[in-house]
Amino acid sequence: MISDIKRKKYMKFIIETYGCQMNVADSELIVSILNNAGLTHTENIDDAQIIIFNTCSVRENAEKRVIGRITSEVSRKSHQNNLLVGIVGCMAQRLGEELKKINKKIDFVVGVDQYSLLPEIIEDCLNNNDFISKTTLNQAEIYNDLYPTRSNPLNAFITIMRGCNNFCTYCIVPFTRGRERSRPIKEILSEIELAGQNKSFEVTLLGQNVNSYSFENNDFPDLLQKANEIDSIRRIRFVTSHPKDLSDKLIETMATYEKVCEHIHLPLQSGNNEILNKMNRKYTAEHYLNLINKLRKAMPDIAITTDVIAGFPSETEEQYLDTLNIMKEIQFDFAYMFKYSERTGTKAADFEDSIPETTRLYRLQNLIDQQTEITTAKYKKKIGSIQEVYVECKSKRNSNEMSGKTRDFKITVFDGNESLINQFVKVKIVDAVGWTLKGIKN
Ligand code: 5AD
Ligand code: SF4
């Protein structure tokens, strides 16, 4: 605890979050930890005495971007006495004390399982002016008994498991977030119930691989079935699913239980079996296609989104074309597409890699071009349908319009006023502009 009550009261912190939803959820935990220690959260960096960067290591670009931001913000120290700058998240975990070499003005580096120590660490930094690095991974840490301070009041991100055991050969996450562990089901269910009571009628269950959730004989579909019974919420989403663990039971549960939304994010990564094998993904393109068929048979209107990587080491033109072709065949609603980025310490970093950067970029661009057409067509197909929209906010473009999401995760705007925020409204879709549906209240 920060002992100097007066100082504590006036200390404000800001957290800038990069990367995936897990980091967003972790930042919400950190806000609660620091609030409980008597510090105050601010959204205004000029007000902050503590700046925390919650970082991502998944690709080199993500790291470079945050290093640029850190460099730019530590310069505030020249005119702001006692300003603390700390790094948390995957980069903190991966680089630890090395971050101090990258920028010697950084005050603390705290890894993903050490956030409970943040108040003490901040106190020590203030008292001793010393650099502190705490990055031990702790398999036991699941941040139970800590209710996150939600950044989005309408959709509660609820972490159901931490870490990853899959060791896809390109991926740094198993190294930065440690081994997989599931939170107790009772804890999760009470967090869902509380979120609903706090008027977050939509919850998103989070984990690196939610399909392998397991707690005392409860698997992920069991968790969904129990969550579906909670009266205070109306919608349940989840990310991310791994194709190797997506069971028939999960598909049946999604189709049967009303609150579970018709959307699945199912990273494909590649459409070529040899590359999938080199990636250690443990499924084939045929298995993936079979899953898509089963999902669409059970839920004809399900939205399917994915992640793919262009230019994995040794990927040939033919192998990349397999990815392009399977994406055309599947017709994803949306895809996050990345060019391969080498991550030191992963297995793939040791693979022979002779693909020129220009080839990687060209493959990525082709994937993006094709998917943009598919996504546009998918959105246009919704014209004429009636969708349930969970209204979140005013539209950014037009203040007479409200914006929200359909059950299948498509942003939808329609004429309306702020009294509709946090309500479920039936909207008839009349147009699709870019990746936004436009509608009228039905
Ligand atoms: N290079 C490029 N993309 C990566 N991803 C993970 N690691 C890498 C990497 N080294 C992508 C995967 C994953 C998503 C979150 O990020 O597609 O599903
Ligand atoms: Fe990374 Fe694979 Fe784990 Fe996803 S499942 S976090 S891609 S190792």
Side-chain angles (χ1 to χ4, degrees):
M1 286 282 148
I2 299 195
S3 50
D4 180 340
I5 300 285
K6 237 181 173 172
R7 181 171 71 186
K8 177 166 92 174
K9 195 169 157 200
Y10 293 106
M11 286 212 74
K12 293 189 180 160
F13 65 95
I14 186 166
I15 308 186
E16 216 173 276
T17 307
Y18 293 83
C20 64
Q21 300 300 350
M22 287 300 279
N23 264 10
V24 175
D26 278 1
S27 287
E28 295 178 350
L29 285 176
I30 294 171
V31 173
S32 292
I33 290 167
L34 295 182
N35 279 346
N36 292 345
L39 301 174
T40 305
H41 183 218
T42 175
E43 303 279 350
N44 180 355
I45 200 159
D46 295 325
D47 272 357
Q49 286 90 51
I50 307 164
I51 303 175
I52 299 173
F53 291 92
N54 192 357
T55 59
C56 170
S57 281
V58 91
R59 282 170 294 276
E60 196 186 1
N61 270 349
E63 291 200 343
K64 277 195 177 144
R65 201 148 42 99
V66 83
I67 287 171
R69 282 287 302 136
I70 295 164
T71 312
S72 132
E73 295 306 335
V74 290
S75 64
R76 290 169 178 267
K77 287 190 161 207
S78 57
H79 56 88
Q80 194 179 341
N81 274 344
N82 293 329
L83 175 70
L84 294 183
V85 176
I87 317 298
V88 303
C90 289
M91 251 174 103
Q93 195 64 53
R94 188 174 93 77
L95 296 169
E97 293 191 6
E98 265 185 59
L99 279 165
K100 181 82 177 165
K101 287 186 207 143
I102 294 173
N103 197 310
K104 59 181 186 312
K105 289 187 179 153
I106 292 171
D107 297 284
F108 59 88
V109 173
V110 179
V112 297
D113 291 336
Q114 300 293 336
Y115 296 151
S116 300
L117 295 178
L118 270 165
E120 271 171 52
I121 291 169
I122 289 171
E123 168 110 57
D124 278 358
C125 285
L126 287 170
N127 291 340
N128 307 324
N129 266 328
D130 279 345
F131 170 75
I132 298 176
S133 170
K134 297 265 187 217
T135 56
T136 314
L137 280 173
N138 174 8
Q139 177 73 12
E141 182 56 277
I142 43 174
Y143 297 105
N144 263 343
D145 303 323
L146 190 64
Y147 191 74
T149 306
R150 309 269 179 224
S151 51
N152 176 344
L154 307 187
N155 181 341
F157 293 118
I158 297 178
T159 304
I160 64 165
M161 58 202 298
R162 298 182 70 85
C164 183
N165 286 350
N166 292 317
F167 288 93
C168 300
T169 54
Y170 50 81
C171 187
I172 196 74
V173 169
F175 303 93
T176 59
R177 290 194 164 265
R179 294 297 65 73
E180 189 177 286
R181 61 271 192 198
S182 295
R183 279 181 72 194
I185 191 157
K186 253 178 91 181
E187 288 271 338
I188 298 169
L189 294 173
S190 56
E191 199 176 317
I192 296 173
E193 177 145 31
L194 198 57
Q197 284 162 2
N198 289 336
K199 306 222 172 319
S200 299
F201 298 136
E202 184 174 284
V203 297
T204 304
L205 308 181
L206 289 180
Q208 239 72 44
N209 177 9
V210 289
N211 305 144
S212 58
Y213 177 83
S214 170
F215 190 83
E216 289 175 352
N217 292 327
N218 290 284
D219 60 12
F220 184 57
D222 295 334
L223 171 60
L224 285 179
Q225 289 173 23
K226 290 185 171 129
N228 191 74
E229 283 161 25
I230 297 174
D231 287 334
S232 63
I233 55 153
R234 293 264 306 256
R235 284 182 177 183
I236 305 166
R237 305 186 181 283
F238 54 90
V239 274
T240 293
S241 295
H242 195 305
K244 79 176 164 61
D245 299 316
L246 200 162
S247 62
D248 290 350
K249 183 176 171 188
L250 176 60
I251 297 175
E252 201 184 309
T253 301
M254 288 182 76
T256 310
Y257 289 82
E258 183 215 326
K259 291 178 185 170
V260 183
C261 289
E262 296 76 25
H263 169 227
I264 191 161
H265 185 67
L266 194 62
L268 165 69
Q269 312 297 7
S270 167
N272 176 270
N273 287 342
E274 210 173 309
I275 293 292
L276 284 170
N277 188 32
K278 282 187 177 161
M279 287 175 162
N280 192 31
R281 290 291 288 176
K282 302 197 176 84
Y283 56 84
T284 59
E286 292 72 25
H287 173 79
Y288 190 95
L289 282 173
N290 193 26
L291 289 177
I292 301 291
N293 288 338
K294 284 192 204 170
L295 284 161
R296 287 189 170 143
K297 197 162 169 219
M299 292 159 279
D301 283 334
I302 189 172
I304 304 175
T305 56
T306 200
D307 296 341
V308 290
I309 299 177
F312 186 77
S314 83
E315 183 189 67
T316 63
E317 187 71 12
E318 287 71 32
Q319 289 171 331
Y320 137 74
L321 285 173
D322 282 346
T323 305
L324 192 76
N325 290 336
I326 202 174
M327 288 180 77
K328 188 166 182 190
E329 181 177 349
I330 292 171
Q331 302 271 305
F332 290 107
D333 289 70
F334 188 82
Y336 297 92
M337 291 156 281
F338 310 103
K339 85 180 156 67
Y340 170 73
S341 166
E342 184 180 304
R343 307 282 59 215
T344 310
T346 61
K347 249 191 168 163
D350 294 333
F351 292 171
E352 165 81 31
D353 181 15
S354 52
I355 304 180
E357 201 55 12
T358 46
T359 306
R360 266 199 251 282
L361 279 169
Y362 143 86
R363 289 179 188 171
L364 176 65
Q365 194 55 51
N366 281 352
L367 294 176
I368 292 173
D369 290 346
Q370 174 180 276
Q371 186 56 46
T372 304
E373 273 185 32
I374 295 171
T375 298
T376 308
K378 280 260 160 185
Y379 275 61
K380 290 250 187 264
K381 254 186 146 169
K382 295 283 164 188
I383 296 174
S385 68
I386 303 206
Q387 301 286 332
E388 179 200 74
V389 175
Y390 183 31
V391 185
E392 291 174 11
C393 56
K394 266 191 190 173
S395 145
K396 281 183 197 109
R397 293 245 172 95
N398 178 345
S399 60
N400 295 321
E401 284 181 347
M402 301 310 294
S403 172
K405 286 195 195 77
T406 59
R407 283 177 62 97
D408 70 348
F409 207 59
K410 293 185 169 61
I411 294 177
T412 305
V413 295
F414 64 97
D415 281 348
N417 58 48
E418 278 171 287
S419 68
L420 296 173
I421 289 179
N422 214 7
Q423 313 248 348
F424 291 83
V425 176
K426 291 270 187 241
V427 171
K428 180 164 187 188
I429 307 303
V430 295
D431 202 0
V433 180
W435 296 335
T436 303
L437 298 176
K438 282 190 179 254
I440 44 175
K441 223 168 138 231
N442 197 41

CSV table of all heavy atoms in Angstrom, one decimal, residues 333-378:
chain,number,residue,atom,x,y,z
A,333,ASP,N,-16.5,-13.9,-42.8
A,333,ASP,CA,-17.2,-12.6,-42.7
A,333,ASP,C,-16.1,-11.5,-42.6
A,333,ASP,O,-16.3,-10.4,-43.0
A,333,ASP,CB,-18.1,-12.5,-41.5
A,333,ASP,CG,-19.3,-13.4,-41.7
A,333,ASP,OD1,-19.2,-14.6,-41.8
A,333,ASP,OD2,-20.4,-12.8,-41.9
A,334,PHE,N,-15.0,-11.9,-41.9
A,334,PHE,CA,-13.9,-10.9,-41.7
A,334,PHE,C,-12.7,-11.7,-41.4
A,334,PHE,O,-12.7,-12.8,-40.9
A,334,PHE,CB,-14.3,-10.0,-40.5
A,334,PHE,CG,-13.3,-8.9,-40.3
A,334,PHE,CD1,-13.4,-7.7,-41.1
A,334,PHE,CD2,-12.2,-9.0,-39.4
A,334,PHE,CE1,-12.5,-6.7,-40.9
A,334,PHE,CE2,-11.4,-7.9,-39.3
A,334,PHE,CZ,-11.5,-6.8,-40.0
A,335,ALA,N,-11.5,-11.2,-41.7
A,335,ALA,CA,-10.3,-11.9,-41.4
A,335,ALA,C,-9.2,-10.9,-40.9
A,335,ALA,O,-9.1,-9.8,-41.5
A,335,ALA,CB,-9.7,-12.7,-42.6
A,336,TYR,N,-8.5,-11.2,-39.9
A,336,TYR,CA,-7.3,-10.4,-39.5
A,336,TYR,C,-6.1,-11.1,-40.2
A,336,TYR,O,-5.9,-12.3,-40.0
A,336,TYR,CB,-7.1,-10.5,-38.0
A,336,TYR,CG,-8.2,-9.8,-37.2
A,336,TYR,CD1,-9.3,-10.6,-36.8
A,336,TYR,CD2,-8.2,-8.5,-37.0
A,336,TYR,CE1,-10.3,-10.0,-36.1
A,336,TYR,CE2,-9.2,-7.9,-36.3
A,336,TYR,CZ,-10.3,-8.6,-35.9
A,336,TYR,OH,-11.3,-8.1,-35.2
A,337,MET,N,-5.4,-10.4,-41.1
A,337,MET,CA,-4.4,-11.0,-41.9
A,337,MET,C,-3.0,-10.3,-41.5
A,337,MET,O,-3.0,-9.1,-41.4
A,337,MET,CB,-4.7,-10.8,-43.3
A,337,MET,CG,-5.9,-11.6,-43.8
A,337,MET,SD,-6.7,-11.0,-45.2
A,337,MET,CE,-7.7,-9.6,-44.5
A,338,PHE,N,-2.0,-11.1,-41.3
A,338,PHE,CA,-0.7,-10.6,-40.8
A,338,PHE,C,0.4,-11.2,-41.7
A,338,PHE,O,0.3,-12.3,-42.2
A,338,PHE,CB,-0.4,-11.1,-39.4
A,338,PHE,CG,-1.6,-10.8,-38.5
A,338,PHE,CD1,-2.4,-11.9,-38.1
A,338,PHE,CD2,-1.8,-9.6,-38.0
A,338,PHE,CE1,-3.5,-11.7,-37.2
A,338,PHE,CE2,-2.9,-9.3,-37.1
A,338,PHE,CZ,-3.7,-10.4,-36.7
A,339,LYS,N,1.4,-10.4,-41.8
A,339,LYS,CA,2.6,-11.0,-42.5
A,339,LYS,C,3.4,-11.6,-41.3
A,339,LYS,O,3.5,-11.1,-40.2
A,339,LYS,CB,3.4,-10.1,-43.3
A,339,LYS,CG,4.4,-9.2,-42.7
A,339,LYS,CD,5.0,-8.3,-43.8
A,339,LYS,CE,5.5,-7.0,-43.1
A,339,LYS,NZ,6.6,-7.2,-42.3
A,340,TYR,N,4.1,-12.7,-41.6
A,340,TYR,CA,4.8,-13.4,-40.6
A,340,TYR,C,5.9,-12.5,-40.0
A,340,TYR,O,6.6,-11.8,-40.7
A,340,TYR,CB,5.5,-14.7,-41.2
A,340,TYR,CG,6.5,-15.3,-40.2
A,340,TYR,CD1,6.1,-16.0,-39.1
A,340,TYR,CD2,7.9,-15.2,-40.4
A,340,TYR,CE1,7.0,-16.5,-38.2
A,340,TYR,CE2,8.8,-15.7,-39.6
A,340,TYR,CZ,8.4,-16.4,-38.4
A,340,TYR,OH,9.3,-16.9,-37.6
A,341,SER,N,6.0,-12.5,-38.7
A,341,SER,CA,7.0,-11.7,-38.0
A,341,SER,C,7.8,-12.7,-37.1
A,341,SER,O,7.3,-13.4,-36.3
A,341,SER,CB,6.3,-10.7,-37.2
A,341,SER,OG,7.1,-10.1,-36.3
A,342,GLU,N,9.1,-12.7,-37.3
A,342,GLU,CA,10.0,-13.6,-36.5
A,342,GLU,C,10.0,-13.2,-35.1
A,342,GLU,O,10.3,-12.0,-34.8
A,342,GLU,CB,11.4,-13.6,-37.2
A,342,GLU,CG,12.3,-14.6,-36.5
A,342,GLU,CD,13.6,-14.7,-37.1
A,342,GLU,OE1,13.7,-14.9,-38.3
A,342,GLU,OE2,14.6,-14.4,-36.4
A,343,ARG,N,9.8,-14.1,-34.2
A,343,ARG,CA,9.9,-13.8,-32.7
A,343,ARG,C,11.0,-14.6,-32.1
A,343,ARG,O,10.9,-15.9,-32.0
A,343,ARG,CB,8.6,-14.1,-32.0
A,343,ARG,CG,7.3,-13.5,-32.7
A,343,ARG,CD,7.1,-12.0,-32.3
A,343,ARG,NE,8.2,-11.1,-32.7
A,343,ARG,CZ,8.5,-10.0,-32.1
A,343,ARG,NH1,7.9,-9.7,-30.9
A,343,ARG,NH2,9.5,-9.2,-32.5
A,344,THR,N,12.0,-14.0,-31.6
A,344,THR,CA,13.1,-14.6,-31.0
A,344,THR,C,12.7,-15.6,-29.9
A,344,THR,O,11.8,-15.2,-29.1
A,344,THR,CB,14.1,-13.6,-30.4
A,344,THR,OG1,14.3,-12.6,-31.4
A,344,THR,CG2,15.4,-14.2,-29.9
A,345,GLY,N,13.2,-16.8,-29.9
A,345,GLY,CA,12.8,-17.8,-28.8
A,345,GLY,C,11.8,-18.8,-29.3
A,345,GLY,O,11.7,-19.8,-28.7
A,346,THR,N,11.1,-18.4,-30.4
A,346,THR,CA,10.1,-19.4,-30.9
A,346,THR,C,10.8,-20.4,-31.8
A,346,THR,O,11.9,-20.1,-32.3
A,346,THR,CB,9.0,-18.7,-31.7
A,346,THR,OG1,9.6,-18.0,-32.8
A,346,THR,CG2,8.2,-17.7,-30.9
A,347,LYS,N,10.2,-21.5,-32.0
A,347,LYS,CA,10.8,-22.6,-32.9
A,347,LYS,C,10.9,-22.0,-34.3
A,347,LYS,O,11.9,-22.3,-35.0
A,347,LYS,CB,9.8,-23.8,-32.9
A,347,LYS,CG,10.4,-25.0,-32.2
A,347,LYS,CD,9.6,-26.2,-32.5
A,347,LYS,CE,10.4,-27.4,-32.0
A,347,LYS,NZ,9.6,-28.6,-31.9
A,348,ALA,N,9.9,-21.3,-34.8
A,348,ALA,CA,10.0,-20.9,-36.2
A,348,ALA,C,11.1,-19.9,-36.5
A,348,ALA,O,11.6,-19.8,-37.6
A,348,ALA,CB,8.6,-20.2,-36.6
A,349,ALA,N,11.6,-19.3,-35.4
A,349,ALA,CA,12.7,-18.3,-35.6
A,349,ALA,C,14.0,-19.1,-36.0
A,349,ALA,O,14.9,-18.5,-36.6
A,349,ALA,CB,13.0,-17.6,-34.3
A,350,ASP,N,14.0,-20.4,-35.8
A,350,ASP,CA,15.2,-21.2,-36.2
A,350,ASP,C,14.9,-21.9,-37.6
A,350,ASP,O,15.8,-22.6,-38.1
A,350,ASP,CB,15.5,-22.3,-35.2
A,350,ASP,CG,15.9,-21.8,-33.8
A,350,ASP,OD1,16.5,-20.7,-33.9
A,350,ASP,OD2,15.7,-22.4,-32.8
A,351,PHE,N,13.7,-21.7,-38.1
A,351,PHE,CA,13.5,-22.3,-39.4
A,351,PHE,C,14.2,-21.6,-40.5
A,351,PHE,O,14.3,-20.4,-40.4
A,351,PHE,CB,12.0,-22.3,-39.7
A,351,PHE,CG,11.1,-23.2,-38.9
A,351,PHE,CD1,9.7,-23.2,-38.9
A,351,PHE,CD2,11.7,-24.2,-38.0
A,351,PHE,CE1,9.0,-24.0,-38.2
A,351,PHE,CE2,10.9,-25.0,-37.2
A,351,PHE,CZ,9.5,-24.9,-37.3
A,352,GLU,N,14.6,-22.3,-41.5
A,352,GLU,CA,15.2,-21.7,-42.7
A,352,GLU,C,14.1,-20.8,-43.3
A,352,GLU,O,13.0,-21.2,-43.5
A,352,GLU,CB,15.5,-22.9,-43.7
A,352,GLU,CG,15.8,-22.5,-45.1
A,352,GLU,CD,17.2,-22.0,-45.3
A,352,GLU,OE1,18.1,-22.5,-44.6
A,352,GLU,OE2,17.4,-21.2,-46.2
A,353,ASP,N,14.5,-19.5,-43.5
A,353,ASP,CA,13.5,-18.6,-44.0
A,353,ASP,C,14.1,-17.7,-45.1
A,353,ASP,O,14.9,-16.8,-44.8
A,353,ASP,CB,13.0,-17.7,-42.9
A,353,ASP,CG,12.0,-16.7,-43.3
A,353,ASP,OD1,11.4,-16.9,-44.4
A,353,ASP,OD2,11.7,-15.7,-42.6
A,354,SER,N,13.8,-18.0,-46.4
A,354,SER,CA,14.4,-17.3,-47.4
A,354,SER,C,13.4,-16.4,-48.2
A,354,SER,O,13.7,-15.9,-49.3
A,354,SER,CB,15.1,-18.2,-48.4
A,354,SER,OG,14.2,-19.2,-48.8
A,355,ILE,N,12.2,-16.2,-47.6
A,355,ILE,CA,11.2,-15.5,-48.3
A,355,ILE,C,11.5,-14.0,-48.2
A,355,ILE,O,11.7,-13.4,-47.1
A,355,ILE,CB,9.8,-15.7,-47.7
A,355,ILE,CG1,9.5,-17.2,-47.7
A,355,ILE,CG2,8.7,-14.9,-48.4
A,355,ILE,CD1,8.1,-17.5,-47.1
A,356,PRO,N,11.7,-13.3,-49.3
A,356,PRO,CA,12.0,-11.9,-49.3
A,356,PRO,C,10.8,-11.1,-48.7
A,356,PRO,O,9.6,-11.6,-48.9
A,356,PRO,CB,12.2,-11.5,-50.8
A,356,PRO,CG,12.2,-12.8,-51.5
A,356,PRO,CD,11.6,-13.8,-50.7
A,357,GLU,N,11.0,-10.0,-48.0
A,357,GLU,CA,10.0,-9.2,-47.4
A,357,GLU,C,9.0,-8.8,-48.5
A,357,GLU,O,7.8,-8.7,-48.2
A,357,GLU,CB,10.7,-8.0,-46.7
A,357,GLU,CG,9.9,-7.3,-45.7
A,357,GLU,CD,9.4,-8.2,-44.5
A,357,GLU,OE1,9.8,-9.4,-44.4
A,357,GLU,OE2,8.5,-7.7,-43.8
A,358,THR,N,9.4,-8.5,-49.7
A,358,THR,CA,8.5,-8.0,-50.7
A,358,THR,C,7.5,-9.1,-51.1
A,358,THR,O,6.3,-8.8,-51.3
A,358,THR,CB,9.3,-7.6,-52.0
A,358,THR,OG1,10.2,-8.7,-52.2
A,358,THR,CG2,10.0,-6.3,-51.8
A,359,THR,N,8.0,-10.3,-51.0
A,359,THR,CA,7.0,-11.5,-51.3
A,359,THR,C,6.0,-11.6,-50.2
A,359,THR,O,4.8,-11.8,-50.5
A,359,THR,CB,7.8,-12.8,-51.5
A,359,THR,OG1,8.9,-12.6,-52.4
A,359,THR,CG2,7.0,-13.9,-51.8
A,360,ARG,N,6.5,-11.5,-49.0
A,360,ARG,CA,5.5,-11.6,-47.9
A,360,ARG,C,4.4,-10.5,-48.0
A,360,ARG,O,3.3,-10.7,-47.9
A,360,ARG,CB,6.3,-11.3,-46.6
A,360,ARG,CG,6.7,-12.6,-45.9
A,360,ARG,CD,7.0,-12.3,-44.4
A,360,ARG,NE,8.4,-12.4,-44.2
A,360,ARG,CZ,9.1,-13.5,-44.0
A,360,ARG,NH1,8.5,-14.7,-44.1
A,360,ARG,NH2,10.4,-13.5,-43.8
A,361,LEU,N,4.9,-9.3,-48.3
A,361,LEU,CA,4.0,-8.1,-48.4
A,361,LEU,C,3.0,-8.3,-49.6
A,361,LEU,O,1.8,-8.0,-49.5
A,361,LEU,CB,4.8,-6.8,-48.6
A,361,LEU,CG,5.3,-6.2,-47.4
A,361,LEU,CD1,6.3,-5.1,-47.7
A,361,LEU,CD2,4.2,-5.7,-46.5
A,362,TYR,N,3.5,-8.8,-50.7
A,362,TYR,CA,2.7,-9.1,-51.9
A,362,TYR,C,1.6,-10.1,-51.6
A,362,TYR,O,0.4,-10.0,-51.9
A,362,TYR,CB,3.5,-9.4,-53.1
A,362,TYR,CG,3.0,-10.4,-54.0
A,362,TYR,CD1,2.1,-10.0,-55.1
A,362,TYR,CD2,3.3,-11.8,-53.9
A,362,TYR,CE1,1.7,-11.0,-55.9
A,362,TYR,CE2,2.8,-12.7,-54.8
A,362,TYR,CZ,2.0,-12.3,-55.8
A,362,TYR,OH,1.5,-13.3,-56.6
A,363,ARG,N,2.0,-11.2,-50.9
A,363,ARG,CA,1.0,-12.2,-50.5
A,363,ARG,C,0.0,-11.7,-49.6
A,363,ARG,O,-1.2,-11.9,-49.7
A,363,ARG,CB,1.7,-13.4,-49.9
A,363,ARG,CG,2.6,-14.2,-50.9
A,363,ARG,CD,3.3,-15.4,-50.3
A,363,ARG,NE,4.2,-16.0,-51.3
A,363,ARG,CZ,5.1,-16.9,-51.0
A,363,ARG,NH1,5.2,-17.3,-49.8
A,363,ARG,NH2,5.9,-17.3,-52.0
A,364,LEU,N,0.5,-10.9,-48.6
A,364,LEU,CA,-0.5,-10.3,-47.6
A,364,LEU,C,-1.5,-9.4,-48.3
A,364,LEU,O,-2.7,-9.5,-48.1
A,364,LEU,CB,0.3,-9.5,-46.6
A,364,LEU,CG,-0.6,-8.8,-45.6
A,364,LEU,CD1,-1.4,-9.7,-44.7
A,364,LEU,CD2,0.3,-7.9,-44.7
A,365,GLN,N,-1.0,-8.6,-49.2
A,365,GLN,CA,-1.9,-7.7,-49.9
A,365,GLN,C,-2.9,-8.4,-50.8
A,365,GLN,O,-4.1,-8.0,-50.8
A,365,GLN,CB,-1.0,-6.7,-50.8
A,365,GLN,CG,-1.8,-5.5,-51.3
A,365,GLN,CD,-2.4,-4.7,-50.1
A,365,GLN,OE1,-1.8,-4.4,-49.2
A,365,GLN,NE2,-3.8,-4.5,-50.2
A,366,ASN,N,-2.5,-9.5,-51.4
A,366,ASN,CA,-3.5,-10.3,-52.2
A,366,ASN,C,-4.6,-10.9,-51.3
A,366,ASN,O,-5.7,-10.9,-51.7
A,366,ASN,CB,-2.8,-11.4,-52.9
A,366,ASN,CG,-2.1,-10.9,-54.2
A,366,ASN,OD1,-2.3,-9.7,-54.6
A,366,ASN,ND2,-1.3,-11.8,-54.8
A,367,LEU,N,-4.1,-11.4,-50.2
A,367,LEU,CA,-5.1,-11.9,-49.2
A,367,LEU,C,-6.1,-10.8,-48.8
A,367,LEU,O,-7.3,-11.0,-48.8
A,367,LEU,CB,-4.4,-12.5,-48.0
A,367,LEU,CG,-3.5,-13.7,-48.2
A,367,LEU,CD1,-2.9,-14.1,-46.8
A,367,LEU,CD2,-4.3,-14.9,-48.7
A,368,ILE,N,-5.5,-9.7,-48.5
A,368,ILE,CA,-6.4,-8.6,-48.0
A,368,ILE,C,-7.4,-8.1,-49.1
A,368,ILE,O,-8.6,-7.9,-48.9
A,368,ILE,CB,-5.5,-7.3,-47.6
A,368,ILE,CG1,-4.7,-7.7,-46.3
A,368,ILE,CG2,-6.4,-6.1,-47.3
A,368,ILE,CD1,-3.7,-6.7,-45.8
A,369,ASP,N,-6.9,-8.0,-50.3
A,369,ASP,CA,-7.7,-7.6,-51.5
A,369,ASP,C,-8.9,-8.5,-51.6
A,369,ASP,O,-10.0,-8.1,-51.8
A,369,ASP,CB,-6.9,-7.5,-52.8
A,369,ASP,CG,-5.9,-6.3,-52.7
A,369,ASP,OD1,-6.1,-5.5,-51.8
A,369,ASP,OD2,-5.0,-6.2,-53.6
A,370,GLN,N,-8.6,-9.8,-51.6
A,370,GLN,CA,-9.6,-10.8,-51.8
A,370,GLN,C,-10.6,-10.7,-50.7
A,370,GLN,O,-11.9,-10.7,-50.9
A,370,GLN,CB,-9.0,-12.2,-51.9
A,370,GLN,CG,-10.1,-13.3,-52.0
A,370,GLN,CD,-9.5,-14.7,-52.1
A,370,GLN,OE1,-9.2,-15.2,-53.2
A,370,GLN,NE2,-9.4,-15.4,-51.0
A,371,GLN,N,-10.1,-10.7,-49.5
A,371,GLN,CA,-11.0,-10.7,-48.3
A,371,GLN,C,-11.9,-9.4,-48.3
A,371,GLN,O,-13.0,-9.5,-47.8
A,371,GLN,CB,-10.2,-10.9,-47.0
A,371,GLN,CG,-11.1,-11.1,-45.8
A,371,GLN,CD,-12.0,-12.2,-45.9
A,371,GLN,OE1,-11.7,-13.3,-46.3
A,371,GLN,NE2,-13.3,-12.0,-45.5
A,372,THR,N,-11.3,-8.3,-48.7
A,372,THR,CA,-12.1,-7.1,-48.7
A,372,THR,C,-13.4,-7.2,-49.5
A,372,THR,O,-14.5,-6.9,-49.1
A,372,THR,CB,-11.3,-5.9,-49.2
A,372,THR,OG1,-10.1,-5.8,-48.4
A,372,THR,CG2,-12.0,-4.6,-49.1
A,373,GLU,N,-13.2,-7.9,-50.7
A,373,GLU,CA,-14.4,-8.1,-51.5
A,373,GLU,C,-15.4,-9.0,-50.9
A,373,GLU,O,-16.6,-8.8,-50.9
A,373,GLU,CB,-13.9,-8.7,-52.9
A,373,GLU,CG,-13.5,-7.7,-53.9
A,373,GLU,CD,-13.2,-8.4,-55.2
A,373,GLU,OE1,-13.8,-9.4,-55.6
A,373,GLU,OE2,-12.3,-7.8,-55.9
A,374,ILE,N,-14.8,-10.1,-50.3
A,374,ILE,CA,-15.7,-11.1,-49.6
A,374,ILE,C,-16.5,-10.4,-48.5
A,374,ILE,O,-17.7,-10.6,-48.3
A,374,ILE,CB,-14.9,-12.3,-49.1
A,374,ILE,CG1,-14.3,-13.0,-50.3
A,374,ILE,CG2,-15.8,-13.2,-48.3
A,374,ILE,CD1,-13.3,-14.1,-49.9
A,375,THR,N,-15.7,-9.7,-47.6
A,375,THR,CA,-16.4,-9.0,-46.5
A,375,THR,C,-17.5,-8.0,-47.0
A,375,THR,O,-18.6,-8.0,-46.4
A,375,THR,CB,-15.3,-8.3,-45.6
A,375,THR,OG1,-14.4,-9.3,-45.1
A,375,THR,CG2,-16.0,-7.6,-44.5
A,376,THR,N,-17.2,-7.3,-48.0
A,376,THR,CA,-18.2,-6.3,-48.5
A,376,THR,C,-19.4,-7.1,-49.0
A,376,THR,O,-20.5,-6.7,-48.6
A,376,THR,CB,-17.6,-5.5,-49.7
A,376,THR,OG1,-16.3,-5.0,-49.3
A,376,THR,CG2,-18.5,-4.4,-50.2
A,377,ALA,N,-19.2,-8.2,-49.7
A,377,ALA,CA,-20.4,-8.9,-50.2
A,377,ALA,C,-21.2,-9.5,-49.0
A,377,ALA,O,-22.4,-9.5,-49.0
A,377,ALA,CB,-19.9,-10.0,-51.1
A,378,LYS,N,-20.4,-10.0,-48.0
A,378,LYS,CA,-21.1,-10.6,-46.8
A,378,LYS,C,-22.0,-9.6,-46.2
A,378,LYS,O,-23.1,-9.9,-45.7
A,378,LYS,CB,-20.1,-11.0,-45.8
A,378,LYS,CG,-19.4,-12.3,-46.2
A,378,LYS,CD,-20.1,-13.4,-45.3
A,378,LYS,CE,-19.9,-14.8,-45.9
A,378,LYS,NZ,-20.5,-15.8,-45.3
